[in-house]
Amino acid sequence: MQIKADKLDRNILFKNKEVAKLFRFITPRREKHILKFSIRTLRIAISIFFLVFYLPFVFRFIPETQEIADTVFSYILKPVHFVVNGFLAFIPGLFFIIVIIFATKYLLKFLKYLTGELEREAVRLDGFHADWAKPTFNLVRVVIIAFAAIICFPYIPGSDSDAFKGVSIFFGVLFSLGSTSAISNIVAGIVITYMRPFKIGDRVEIGDTIGDVTERSLLVTRVKTIKNLDITIPNSSILGNHIINFSKNAAEEVGIVLHTSVTIGYDVPSGDVIKALVKGAKNTQMILETPEPFVLVKSLDDFYINYEINCHTKHPEKAAVIYSYLHESIKNELHNAGIEILSPHYNAVRDGNVLTVPPENIPKDYQKPGFKIGD
C-alpha cells in the first residue's frame, strides 16, 4: 500500500509540475496572441458555417433559388457521404489494425523484458552473450514493426490508389539514394556487434585513434582519447580497419605486455644493460611483479645493440602514464649503473683503433696495431 501511495504522490507531483510549466508558458504577451488567434478562428468558422450551410438552407425556401440551393447542398453532401461511407467501410479494417497494434505492442513488451533478463544474465542461452541482448532486441523490434506495418498496409484507406503507390515509390527511391552510406554503416554496426571486438569502456586502437569506447550504435562508435577528445568513427570505417583491444586480456593474471626500446653501444656489457633495464621496470608504478619483466635483444645494428624491455600491467587505460614512469625509471637505473644511453656512429680506420667490445672481452695479449700509410 505504501508503494502505491508513493507512486500516486509521484504522479500527482508530475502533473502539478506539468501544469506549472503550462502556466509559466502562458505569459501576458502570449495570452494576447492566443486570444486573437481564438477569436479569428471562431470568426472564420462562423463565416464558413453561414456561407456553406445557412445561406443554402434559406435559399431552399425561395422557389427561384431552390434549385441552386439543392445543387450547393449536393456539392457539400457528396464529400460528406464519401467520408462517412469510407469510414463505415473502414471500420472492419480498423478493428483488424487495432488487434495487430495491440499484439505487436505486447509482443515487444515481452521481448523487452526477456532482453533485460538476458542483459542481467538472469536468463542464459548457450552461445548468446549478454552484450548481444540489446542490439538483437533493436533489430528484432524493427523487423516486427515492419512486418506489422506490411500486414496493416492493405487495410489503410486509399492504399490501393495509384497516387498512394506513386508517393510510396517516390519516397522509396529517395530513401534508397540518400541512405547508401547510412545502410553500409548499419550493416557494419551489426557485424561489429556480433564480432564483439570491444565493449563500452574498453581501451582500443582503431586506425590512428587510441582511446576508451564511450558509445556504440548501429551507425557510429564514439571514442574518448587520452587527451579528452571525443571522436566519432563511422562503423564502416571501423570494419575496414584493424582493431586493437588493450582491455580485453588485461583482467587475466598476466595482464598485457608493455614494451619500449633503448639502444646502447657494443662497448657496454649486455648483462649490465639487461640487469639495469629489469631493475628499472620493477621500480615502475603499476607494473606487475610477476611475471617478471624481461629483456629481448631485438637486433645487432651497425653501431649499437637494440634492447627491448617488456613488462606486464593490468592498467592499459593508463599506458601513457606508465610509459612515462618506465622511461624515467630505466634512465635513472642506467645512469646509476654508469651506462651512457648512447647510440654511437663510428667512422673507423681499423689500424690503430681499440676494439669496440667490452674491456673484459679484449684478449690479454692484444696489442693495438700501428697505423700504416701506403707502401
Side-chain angles (χ1 to χ4, degrees):
M1 293 296 293
Q2 183 64 33
I3 295 174
K4 290 184 178 179
D6 293 341
K7 188 174 180 180
L8 181 61
D9 291 339
R10 286 197 298 270
N11 291 336
I12 293 172
L13 181 62
F14 177 76
K15 290 181 179 178
N16 290 337
K17 287 182 178 179
E18 292 298 319
V19 173
K21 287 181 181 179
L22 178 61
F23 279 107
R24 283 198 299 269
F25 175 77
I26 303 176
T27 61
R29 183 180 177 184
R30 291 194 179 101
E31 286 179 358
K32 182 178 179 182
H33 289 294
I34 292 172
L35 186 59
K36 282 184 177 181
F37 177 77
S38 301
I39 293 174
R40 188 182 306 146
T41 303
L42 182 61
R43 185 175 64 221
I44 293 172
I46 293 173
S47 301
I48 292 174
F49 178 81
F50 181 77
L51 291 173
V52 174
F53 293 100
Y54 181 73
L55 286 181
F57 178 76
V58 172
F59 288 159
R60 290 194 66 184
F61 294 99
I62 303 173
E64 289 79 2
T65 58
Q66 184 176 4
E67 185 177 353
I68 298 174
D70 291 339
T71 303
V72 173
F73 266 121
S74 66
Y75 291 157
I76 296 171
L77 293 177
K78 186 175 180 180
V80 172
H81 287 161
F82 177 80
V83 172
V84 172
N85 293 334
F87 179 76
L88 293 176
F90 173 60
I91 288 177
L94 178 62
F95 279 105
F96 182 83
I97 291 174
I98 291 173
V99 170
I100 295 298
I101 290 174
F102 271 94
T104 304
K105 177 182 177 181
Y106 285 103
L107 176 60
L108 291 176
K109 280 189 174 183
F110 169 74
L111 292 177
K112 188 175 182 180
Y113 168 77
L114 182 60
T115 299
E117 295 299 308
L118 289 171
E119 280 187 313
R120 291 192 296 271
E121 295 187 350
V123 177
R124 295 187 179 183
L125 299 176
D126 292 338
F128 190 90
H129 301 278
D131 56 343
W132 286 355
K134 191 171 182 180
T136 302
F137 169 72
N138 291 333
L139 294 174
V140 173
R141 180 175 60 180
V142 171
V143 172
I144 291 175
I145 292 175
F147 186 69
I150 291 171
I151 294 176
C152 295
F153 182 80
Y155 296 91
I156 299 175
S159 60
D160 57 345
S161 65
D162 294 335
F164 197 94
K165 293 176 182 177
V167 172
S168 301
I169 293 172
F170 171 75
F171 280 109
V173 172
L174 193 65
F175 177 80
S176 299
L177 294 176
S179 61
T180 305
S181 60
I183 291 174
S184 65
N185 283 324
I186 291 173
V187 173
I190 294 172
V191 174
I192 291 170
T193 297
Y194 292 99
M195 281 173 54
R196 302 180 71 240
F198 52 78
K199 61 180 183 295
I200 302 298
D202 282 356
R203 170 61 60 88
V204 298
E205 180 179 349
I206 302 172
D208 297 328
T209 302
I210 301 177
D212 300 322
V213 179
T214 58
E215 183 182 345
R216 186 180 65 187
S217 66
L218 286 178
L219 289 173
V220 298
T221 297
R222 289 185 171 85
V223 176
K224 185 177 181 180
T225 69
I226 58 177
K227 301 298 184 182
N228 204 30
L229 301 176
D230 187 77
I231 298 180
T232 301
I233 308 174
N235 286 332
S236 58
S237 298
I238 295 176
L239 198 61
N241 264 308
H242 65 278
I243 304 170
I244 301 175
N245 191 327
F246 298 100
S247 302
K248 190 170 185 178
N249 298 329
E252 296 181 359
E253 185 177 353
V254 297
I256 66 168
V257 178
L258 300 182
H259 58 87
T260 188
S261 297
V262 61
T263 54
I264 306 293
Y266 281 95
D267 55 331
V268 181
S270 295
D272 295 345
V273 177
I274 292 173
K275 184 178 178 181
L277 291 176
V278 171
K279 187 176 180 182
K282 287 182 177 180
N283 294 335
T284 304
Q285 300 180 36
M286 293 177 282
I287 294 297
L288 298 178
E289 293 182 2
T290 54
E292 289 190 355
F294 60 94
V295 176
L296 299 176
V297 179
K298 290 195 67 178
S299 62
L300 301 176
D301 296 325
D302 290 339
F303 308 110
Y304 45 76
I305 302 174
N306 190 345
Y307 300 90
E308 181 184 85
I309 176 68
N310 296 265
C311 45
H312 300 76
T313 183
K314 290 188 176 182
H315 303 279
E317 72 282 358
K318 298 180 180 179
V321 176
I322 296 174
Y323 273 122
S324 178
Y325 292 153
L326 178 62
H327 292 152
E328 180 68 20
S329 182
I330 62 176
K331 176 183 74 71
N332 293 336
E333 290 301 327
L334 288 171
H335 286 175
N336 292 337
I339 299 173
E340 186 178 13
I341 303 175
L342 182 65
S343 303
H345 286 63
Y346 298 102
N347 291 317
V349 179
R350 283 289 7 129
D351 288 348
N353 284 269
V354 179
L355 293 176
T356 311
V357 296
E360 63 269 19
N361 293 334
I362 298 177
K364 293 181 179 180
D365 57 349
Y366 174 76
Q367 294 182 359
K368 183 171 63 173
F371 189 75
K372 296 180 181 180
I373 303 176
D375 290 333

